[in-house]
Amino acid sequence: MQDVVILGSGPAGLTAAIYTGRANKSTIVLAGASLGGQTGEIAKLENYPGWAGSGMELIQFMKKQAESFGAKIEFASATDIKFNEDKTFTVICDNGKTIDTKTVILATGAMARRLEIAGAREFFGKGVSYCATCDGFFYSGRDVLVYGGGNAALNDALYLADVAKSVRIVYRKSEFFRAEAVLRDRVAEKENIECIYNTELKSISQKPDSEKLIATTTTGDEIECDGIFVAIGHEANTDYLSESIKRDDMGRIIPESLPKGMFVAGDVHSNIKMQIATAVGTGCSAGMDAIAYLNSKD
Ligand SMILES: Cc1cc2nc3c(=O)[nH]c(=O)nc-3n(C[C@H](O)[C@H](O)[C@H](O)COP(=O)(O)OP(=O)(O)OC[C@H]3O[C@@H](n4cnc5c(N)ncnc54)[C@H](O)[C@@H]3O)c2cc1C
């Protein structure tokens, strides 16, 4: 019987493992399909305090630190979690293994919903981004397009308006129905934001002999820009969870619905900003909560 099983090897899961391992609680981290999660994808990480390097380098340090305190990293994903009568859990893995544990920390992250149009994959990281706070800085004084019309898109547009020369929000509906009024008002007040409604993108290509991108709409109009920020929603990685655990409209876990002994951290936690700093903060909290829970049982 393990003390702690942590699902996810992003910054939230690895931080939790550093805390639980260091408190001498036997800890297994299920890494999932990718060690480091979304952070592992970041080529140049500039807004995590005290760090200058790639996301994967940071993850490798966190992994080593967690392992130095006895945490074991296993390369498997959870497919189910059983709630046992004695208030313990059994985690079922995709490699056929089952792990009995007294506590579980859910740190399986979330994925930005990907834009599935021609060119979107090709130009990902080369002009197409899913994170304005991460990549906006690279577009200082340039022209960018935000694709989407919810709170995330408007927040991205407002953030980018302070960095970029111009921001065009392209949205498929006639108004920002889904966004909060305060955001709509702020967008309307910004002189360098233009809203293009009733418009969908069909493809992304590069302007010949230039670094500029061309976003082509379904009606054939072409919008020239330096960067395209896609904000069409996030999907939390929670397929392995039962219906009894409540999720918000992004599929993120509402902590109040978790049974005793189960904790949540990082992007999969409802109501936190999706950043490495918050993943680390909530990973620390979840680790400490698991330790306190285990100590209360001893
Ligand atoms: C391209 C990009 C650039 C970004 N740039 C920045 C930046 O500059 N600064 C910043 O602060 N933030 C940035 N972010 C956001 C940041 O990466 C995330 O907020 C952070 O990684 C969240 O950490 P996490 O540990 O909660 O989840 P994740 O990093 O998403 O990790 C989730 C982990 O769970 C695992 N997993 C999933 N399903 C299962 C399962 N069933 N069983 C076991 N494991 C599972 C995955 O394999 C992964 O290891 C960026 C995100 C992206 C996509």
Side-chain angles (χ1 to χ4, degrees):
M1 172 77 63
Q2 287 294 312
D3 288 325
V4 189
V5 172
I6 297 169
L7 309 187
S9 61
L14 292 175
T15 302
I18 291 167
Y19 277 78
T20 57
R22 196 160 174 270
N24 280 336
K25 307 299 180 194
S26 59
T27 300
I28 289 181
V29 178
L30 289 186
S34 63
L35 175 74
Q38 300 167 79
T39 298
E41 292 177 28
I42 305 169
K44 198 172 172 202
L45 176 57
E46 294 187 317
N47 60 0
Y48 183 66
W51 183 254
S54 74
M56 191 43 104
E57 285 169 311
L58 176 67
I59 288 295
Q60 291 295 354
F61 277 112
M62 288 184 177
K63 175 176 174 276
K64 253 194 209 155
Q65 203 174 350
E67 286 173 329
S68 75
F69 295 121
K72 300 211 165 17
I73 317 284
E74 295 195 6
F75 288 87
S77 294
T79 54
D80 197 5
I81 304 174
K82 302 251 176 277
F83 302 54
N84 304 320
E85 276 184 9
D86 62 356
K87 310 251 187 275
T88 63
F89 305 92
T90 302
V91 178
I92 322 287
C93 306
D94 59 354
N95 59 5
K97 191 171 168 178
T98 59
I99 311 170
D100 294 322
T101 180
K102 294 177 193 164
T103 65
V104 180
I105 296 176
L106 310 171
T108 46
M111 298 264 292
R113 195 170 291 142
R114 301 290 155 162
L115 181 61
E116 298 294 346
I117 61 171
R121 276 174 201 235
E122 184 188 345
F123 293 104
F124 172 59
K126 297 176 213 146
V128 173
S129 169
Y130 291 85
C131 183
T133 47
C134 318
D135 298 333
F137 173 77
F138 302 113
Y139 295 89
S140 163
R142 300 168 81 191
D143 302 309
V144 298
L145 183 157
V146 172
Y147 192 41
N151 285 340
L154 267 51
N155 265 320
D156 283 358
L158 288 165
Y159 179 86
L160 290 163
D162 289 337
V163 181
K165 185 168 85 189
S166 76
V167 179
R168 270 169 292 187
I169 307 176
V170 175
Y171 188 41
R172 65 194 161 93
K173 300 207 169 151
S174 59
E175 264 183 62
F176 298 126
F177 298 108
R178 287 173 34 238
E180 289 169 17
V182 63
L183 293 175
R184 294 199 302 255
D185 292 347
R186 281 188 202 145
V187 162
E189 281 163 18
K190 281 272 178 194
E191 283 184 0
N192 63 341
I193 298 182
E194 181 193 350
C195 302
I196 304 174
Y197 299 105
N198 299 314
T199 302
E200 281 187 66
L201 296 186
K202 190 173 139 210
S203 64
I204 297 168
S205 56
Q206 192 156 26
K207 191 177 174 192
D209 304 321
S210 160
E211 285 189 352
K212 293 239 176 223
L213 294 180
I214 310 262
T216 305
T217 70
T218 46
T219 52
D221 291 331
E222 293 187 347
I223 306 170
E224 196 176 297
C225 58
D226 296 294
I228 297 175
F229 289 84
V230 182
I232 52 174
H234 271 81
E235 279 165 15
N237 300 319
T238 53
D239 288 355
Y240 59 92
L241 284 177
S242 72
E243 293 293 314
S244 65
I245 293 172
K246 299 275 173 285
R247 268 90 17 116
D248 65 13
D249 56 2
M250 281 166 57
R252 302 199 294 167
I253 298 163
I254 297 169
E256 291 74 21
S257 71
L258 292 175
K260 286 200 167 29
M262 197 177 259
F263 307 92
V264 59
D267 278 9
V268 76
H269 185 304
S270 68
N271 209 18
I272 72 155
K273 309 283 182 223
M274 293 164 136
Q275 289 286 285
I276 298 167
T278 48
V280 165
T282 50
C284 159
S285 290
M288 291 179 76
D289 287 345
I291 295 164
Y293 175 82
L294 289 164
N295 289 344
S296 74
K297 298 265 155 202
D298 287 344

